[in-house]
Amino acid sequence: MRHPLELVFIRGVVEEIEPITSRMRRIRIASGQLRDVHWSPGQHVRLTVTPPTRWLRDPRDARRSYSVWHLDREHGNLDLCVLDHGEGPGAQWAKTAYVGRPVTMSRPEGRLTLREAPYHLFAGDETAAVAFGAMLRALPADAAVHGVLETDAPDGEVPLPRPHRLPWIHRGDDDADAETENARPAAAERTPLVEAVRALRLPRRPGIAYLAGHASDCQAVQRHLLHERGWSRRDIVVKPFWAPGKRGLE
Ligand SMILES: Cc1cc2nc3c(=O)[nH]c(=O)nc-3n(C[C@H](O)[C@H](O)[C@H](O)COP(=O)(O)OP(=O)(O)OC[C@H]3O[C@@H](n4cnc5c(N)ncnc54)[C@H](O)[C@@H]3O)c2cc1C
């Protein structure tokens, strides 16, 4: 008989852990419930990252969202890739994960998914690369793909699937972690990611853009597409994943 929690959540265990970049761990979660789950590449799950005793103190720390890097329905498992950026409950959960650890998570959800378009434009940071990797894997080999990704250094580059590899830029010492919301004001229009997207040679007509990761970079790239390239809002799917000083964006 099913556990009542399984009507709402997926319950599983950590099955495998490996570093995927210098600061990111790939964590495989196994659950029989994943054999018949519906998932579109780009969607995420909401993972319970703290024990119930802590939810009473601060309900915002109960869950964090992580994109599904890969889902294997046949074997009933999925992979998440979590960046180690500090001491938040999500980062802590990933740092302390061990094989056999019980896991509770939502079913996959979210609207960051592939759309029909003449070409696809991806822009974001290494956390966005997790969702983008799944989306790129689902595109046909002859799909037209453009984009750029940002991380701190070459060893932070998430390995993306062939043939749709995207170029990376490196922020070096300008650690996104150290920023505060107020430290990235109007100058956001000149952040390295926006500059890199501005430099892309794109067809004159809009395609579909997927923007994810650092919230103010997403907004700045969106403004660039709207105001400098003449795209409309319906051509752009934006999903901010995190913002300096904010906890657990949904
Ligand atoms: C739809 C969606 C999908 C996501 N997918 C992924 C994913 O695949 N992999 C992943 O690692 N994260 C992903 N995230 C972000 C994730 O949900 C957490 O926000 C992140 O792990 C931080 O949680 P935390 O509890 O460690 O820190 P929090 O307590 O939430 O945040 C504490 C502080 O840490 C800093 N911070 C948070 N994230 C970063 C970062 N990436 N770089 C630098 N500083 C940061 C900020 O200053 C923040 O105020 C996703 C978010 C959303 C909304």
Side-chain angles (χ1 to χ4, degrees), residues 3 12 38 51 65 78 85 87 91 94 99 122-123 129 140 142 157-158 179 181 191 207-209 225 227 232:
H3 190 286
H38 180 76
S65 300
L78 61 70
H85 66 83
E87 302 305 317
V99 171
F122 296 85
D142 61 354
E157 295 179 10
V158 177
E179 294 160 5
E181 200 59 51
T191 62
I208 182 86
L225 295 173
H227 304 311
S232 66

Side-chain angles (χ1 to χ4, degrees), residues 64-67 81 83 85 89-91 177 242 245-246 248-250:
R64 291 291 182 265
S65 300
Y66 292 102
S67 308
C81 300
L83 184 72
H85 66 83
D177 231 349
W242 66 278
K246 298 248 167 75
L249 292 192
E250 289 299 307

Side-chain angles (χ1 to χ4, degrees), residues 23-24 42-45 49 60-61 63-69 80-92 109 112 125-131 171 175-179 214 239-250:
R23 290 208 297 154
M24 192 177 258
Q43 288 188 315
H44 62 278
V45 293
V49 291
R60 283 177 305 177
D61 283 347
R63 303 207 283 169
R64 291 291 182 265
S65 300
Y66 292 102
S67 308
V68 178
W69 170 248
L80 308 177
C81 300
V82 183
L83 184 72
D84 176 7
H85 66 83
E87 302 305 317
Q92 279 300 315
E109 57 188 82
L112 179 64
D125 62 12
E126 61 273 74
T127 60
V130 183
R171 57 182 167 261
D175 188 355
D177 231 349
E179 294 160 5
H214 188 296
K239 185 64 196 167
F241 281 5
W242 66 278
K246 298 248 167 75
R247 286 157 61 188
L249 292 192
E250 289 299 307

Side-chain angles (χ1 to χ4, degrees), residues 25-72:
R25 300 181 103 186
R26 180 185 64 78
I27 301 176
R28 175 161 294 169
I29 298 167
S31 166
Q33 287 176 271
L34 292 169
R35 293 211 167 86
D36 53 13
V37 84
H38 180 76
W39 170 69
S40 299
Q43 288 188 315
H44 62 278
V45 293
R46 298 181 66 209
L47 195 74
T48 302
V49 291
T50 52
T53 44
R54 187 150 157 204
W55 305 349
L56 297 173
R57 253 189 296 139
D58 200 337
R60 283 177 305 177
D61 283 347
R63 303 207 283 169
R64 291 291 182 265
S65 300
Y66 292 102
S67 308
V68 178
W69 170 248
H70 181 68
L71 173 71
D72 179 347

Side-chain angles (χ1 to χ4, degrees), residues 14 17 25 27 91-99 101:
V14 173
I17 303 170
R25 300 181 103 186
I27 301 176
Q92 279 300 315
W93 180 89
K95 258 191 278 197
T96 57
Y98 56 88
V99 171
R101 181 178 189 167

Side-chain angles (χ1 to χ4, degrees), residues 124-126 148-152 168-171 192-193 217:
D125 62 12
E126 61 273 74
V148 62
L149 294 164
E150 186 188 58
T151 186
D152 49 356
W168 288 85
I169 56 167
H170 305 124
R171 57 182 167 261
L193 186 66
D217 270 352

